[in-house]
Amino acid sequence: MRVLKDILYKVQIDAVVGNTSVTINKLQFDSRKVELNDAFVAIRGSISDGHNFIEQAINQGALAVICEEFPKEIVNGITYIKVENAQQALAFMAANYYDNPSEKLKLVGVTGTNGKTTIATLLYNLFTKAGFKVGLLSTVKVMVAENTYDAVRTTPDSITINKYLKQMNDEGVEFCFMEVSSHGIDQHRTTALEFAGGIFTNLSHDHLDYHSSFAEYRDVKKRFFDELPASAFALTNTDDKNGQIMLQNTRAQKYTYALKSYADYKAQILENSFTGLLLKVNDQELWTRLIGSFNAYNVLAIYATAELLGLENLESLKIISELNSVSGRFQYIISKEEKITAIVDYAHTPDALKNVLETINSIRTKNEELITVVGCGGDRDKSKRPKMGHIASALSTKVIFTSDNPRTEDPDKIIEDVEAGVEPQNFKKIMSVTNRKQAIKTACQMAGENDIILIAGKGHETYQEVNGERKDFDDLKIVTEFLKQLNK
């Protein structure tokens, strides 16, 4: 229970009707969850407008309503707060409601197109192995010290974030590593959080179904760094052309990392194989089980962040060498008889797919086939589909286009969009198998001794979403079963 006026601290209020000294039970932005004496925040979303559910929230017991526009009917005994931006207001109210938990630990945000999950998760693992109590807010899962919770989206809503951070405070957590998505920044889910640091990975084609242009997507990411306090650090990848842009207006202390250009944290790849990477990091050699140049960047970002947070360098290097890859990120198995390598990766953007395929091609002998199974999600950015088709067909010896969470779209139509990017000289390499399980089976049947199968797009996801229904589907589990059957 909290007094309404106390949790309105820092909220930009335009008008008030009623008493702000009332005591409220919980904060809600979903009218269906409203109970007696709750405060309801009316959010304008892409699908529905919370202002249309104010009456329902009051009927269910809401004592206060926070909105951008007062309803036509004002109910006696209800407090109405008019604000300029309800999403921003929710962020401040959620932080105040849970006693600003981000201020009581060191919170580091990781943003960019690719690498967020790997960096945040491996930082959690690194600091846990170093003996600290650590929190994690990621696409794959939420960790509060040793306790695991399911993740709903990359960056949760403001109430959920602050609830978990408060739980971390109660558990004595010292560090928390958090993925920060462009949606989360744009919708003010991270507003009102106190960050100790921010990491920029890279920027490539993604989420243009949500953002009107690539420039807007970039500028939203930049806003995260613009809002960092002077006490924080801003660590950016300067090999990415947008890396320096992120630092332009930040008040935070600026640090850089790179493989190709001058930077505060520099790495060189000495060896690259399916067993891992040998790197030279700021004149120290480091062996890691992670694979590929894209992971060299991730390792460098982890090493730099650990130093900036006060971890001793030699200890960091030792622990990094012990870390395993993150679920669904370049996970691989090798069949016993024919030594077929099957790799499962979350690569669902053109740049990520290109990185993974280039990594495999740089390691393989070229005497074996590289068979890629890939698709594109429905109800998402359609402009990336032909790009994915072009990259897969150009960098693989054989490609099977298939379904990947078609949602409400026709999966065959999505595959047609992907195929549109295939150039004539690569057309003989491709085939389409709409059923994803059948596509994986076909890849396994096509593969010969020492061949490589890449199954891209879903990674850690253990479901296939069709028309609003999620059915169990695990790429790694399925390919493992098929390869075992081939060995019998």
Side-chain angles (χ1 to χ4, degrees):
M1 303 281 282
R2 299 299 302 268
V3 177
L4 180 60
K5 66 180 180 182
D6 292 341
I7 63 171
L8 287 169
Y9 178 59
K10 291 186 180 180
V11 174
Q12 193 171 342
I13 297 172
D14 291 344
V16 177
V17 174
N19 182 10
T20 60
S21 294
V22 295
T23 301
I24 62 140
N25 185 23
K26 291 180 182 176
L27 275 177
Q28 304 285 4
F29 63 91
D30 184 341
S31 59
R32 295 167 296 185
K33 296 180 180 179
V34 172
E35 295 178 348
L36 188 63
N37 296 333
D38 285 350
F40 173 64
V41 183
I43 303 288
R44 296 189 197 276
S46 57
I47 298 172
S48 61
D49 184 350
H51 291 75
N52 297 329
F53 301 94
I54 289 174
E55 184 180 351
Q56 178 188 330
I58 291 170
N59 290 339
Q60 287 179 210
L63 189 60
V65 173
I66 294 84
C67 51
E68 294 174 8
E69 189 179 330
F70 283 147
K72 290 178 182 177
E73 184 184 346
I74 300 295
V75 179
N76 259 345
I78 303 299
T79 302
Y80 297 85
I81 311 289
K82 185 181 177 184
V83 297
E84 186 175 323
N85 187 309
Q87 290 175 325
Q88 188 179 60
L90 178 65
F92 283 113
M93 293 177 74
N96 292 330
Y97 182 89
Y98 287 103
D99 291 322
N100 296 292
S102 63
E103 296 175 3
K104 300 176 180 70
L105 47 70
K106 289 186 177 179
L107 177 64
V108 176
V110 188
T111 196
T113 304
N114 302 312
K116 296 188 297 294
T117 301
T118 296
I119 290 172
T121 304
L122 292 183
L123 279 167
Y124 168 85
N125 293 339
L126 170 59
F127 277 76
T128 299
K129 282 178 175 287
F132 296 96
K133 282 195 172 183
V134 193
L136 173 69
L137 294 165
S138 83
T139 302
V140 179
K141 60 186 174 182
V142 173
M143 298 293 298
V144 178
E146 301 300 320
N147 302 310
T148 307
Y149 303 90
D150 291 335
V152 178
R153 53 170 66 93
T154 301
T155 306
D157 62 82
S158 303
I159 297 172
T160 303
I161 291 171
N162 282 280
K163 182 184 79 171
Y164 279 128
L165 291 175
K166 177 65 167 67
Q167 201 175 328
M168 290 178 198
N169 290 168
D170 295 342
E171 291 284 335
V173 165
E174 297 174 70
F175 299 94
C176 177
F177 301 101
M178 173 183 178
E179 288 187 52
V180 178
S181 68
S182 60
H183 291 66
I185 300 165
D186 189 55
Q187 295 170 14
H188 292 281
R189 295 181 215 154
T190 54
T191 297
L193 298 178
E194 183 80 13
F195 284 93
I199 304 166
F200 170 74
T201 62
N202 50 66
L203 210 63
S204 63
H205 190 117
D206 200 17
H207 300 309
L208 298 190
D209 56 318
Y210 179 87
H211 302 287
S212 62
S213 66
F214 184 83
E216 183 196 303
Y217 175 47
R218 177 200 64 208
D219 291 345
V220 167
K221 294 283 191 186
K222 180 179 177 296
R223 198 171 84 197
F224 171 67
F225 292 92
D226 291 348
E227 294 173 356
L228 287 176
S231 58
F233 66 82
L235 175 67
T236 187
N237 173 10
T238 51
D239 281 348
D240 187 287
K241 62 183 179 181
N242 297 289
Q244 289 292 354
I245 292 173
M246 298 296 145
L247 301 180
Q248 282 176 353
N249 303 108
T250 189
R251 292 170 294 159
Q253 300 159 61
K254 302 174 184 179
Y255 297 92
T256 57
Y257 68 99
L259 297 183
K260 301 171 185 173
S261 51
Y262 175 79
D264 298 307
Y265 295 91
K266 189 81 187 288
Q268 179 185 355
I269 299 174
L270 303 178
E271 290 179 26
N272 185 12
S273 70
F274 276 127
T275 56
L277 286 164
L278 179 62
L279 301 173
K280 194 173 186 179
V281 179
N282 281 11
D283 296 324
Q284 296 275 356
E285 284 197 3
L286 165 66
W287 173 261
T288 172
R289 295 171 188 168
L290 276 68
I291 300 161
S293 60
F294 60 95
N295 269 323
Y297 283 104
N298 294 336
V299 167
L300 193 50
I302 293 160
Y303 172 82
T305 302
E307 182 178 279
L308 293 170
L309 291 173
L311 212 60
E312 202 273 321
N313 286 344
L314 289 177
E315 184 181 12
S316 292
L317 291 167
K318 178 181 177 294
I319 298 173
I320 290 170
S321 69
E322 298 167 356
L323 298 176
N324 293 312
S325 62
V326 177
S327 173
R329 270 65 178 177
F330 217 98
Q331 276 188 290
Y332 70 93
I333 58 163
I334 301 172
S335 67
K336 288 182 180 178
E337 297 295 325
E338 296 192 310
K339 303 298 180 187
I340 297 168
T341 300
I343 300 163
V344 172
D345 194 272
Y346 188 52
H348 63 289
T349 67
D351 194 54
L353 182 62
K354 183 170 179 279
N355 284 338
V356 172
L357 284 169
E358 285 183 343
T359 291
I360 295 168
N361 281 318
S362 70
I363 296 170
R364 73 187 188 95
T365 66
K366 308 297 190 295
N367 293 319
E368 65 287 276
E369 300 278 357
L370 170 51
I371 306 165
T372 298
V373 179
V374 67
C376 283
D379 302 331
R380 297 292 186 268
D381 181 6
K382 293 182 181 181
S383 64
K384 74 179 181 182
R385 293 174 185 173
K387 295 181 180 181
M388 298 281 281
H390 168 70
I391 291 164
S393 59
L395 297 177
S396 311
T397 50
K398 292 176 183 173
V399 181
I400 303 170
F401 294 129
T402 189
S403 293
D404 180 349
N405 294 333
R407 300 183 176 90
T408 64
E409 282 195 73
D410 178 353
D412 291 324
K413 179 63 178 71
I414 297 172
I415 290 172
E416 284 179 23
D417 292 344
V418 176
E419 287 178 339
V422 179
E423 294 184 350
Q425 69 270 23
N426 295 320
F427 203 74
K428 287 186 177 179
K429 294 181 182 181
I430 70 166
M431 63 186 297
S432 298
V433 180
T434 306
N435 182 296
R436 192 175 180 93
K437 186 172 184 179
Q438 192 64 39
I440 295 170
K441 182 180 181 180
T442 302
C444 292
Q445 289 170 334
M446 289 167 61
E449 192 173 345
N450 297 318
D451 285 350
I452 300 165
I453 301 169
L454 170 65
I455 306 168
K458 295 181 67 62
H460 65 280
E461 292 179 352
T462 55
Y463 60 84
Q464 182 82 309
E465 187 175 339
V466 183
N467 292 319
E469 186 181 353
R470 289 187 173 186
K471 295 182 179 179
D472 288 346
F473 198 98
D474 186 328
D475 282 350
L476 188 64
K477 184 178 175 182
I478 288 167
V479 73
T480 302
E481 287 173 358
F482 281 137
L483 288 177
K484 280 181 182 176
Q485 287 175 18
L486 288 175
N487 284 331
K488 288 179 180 177

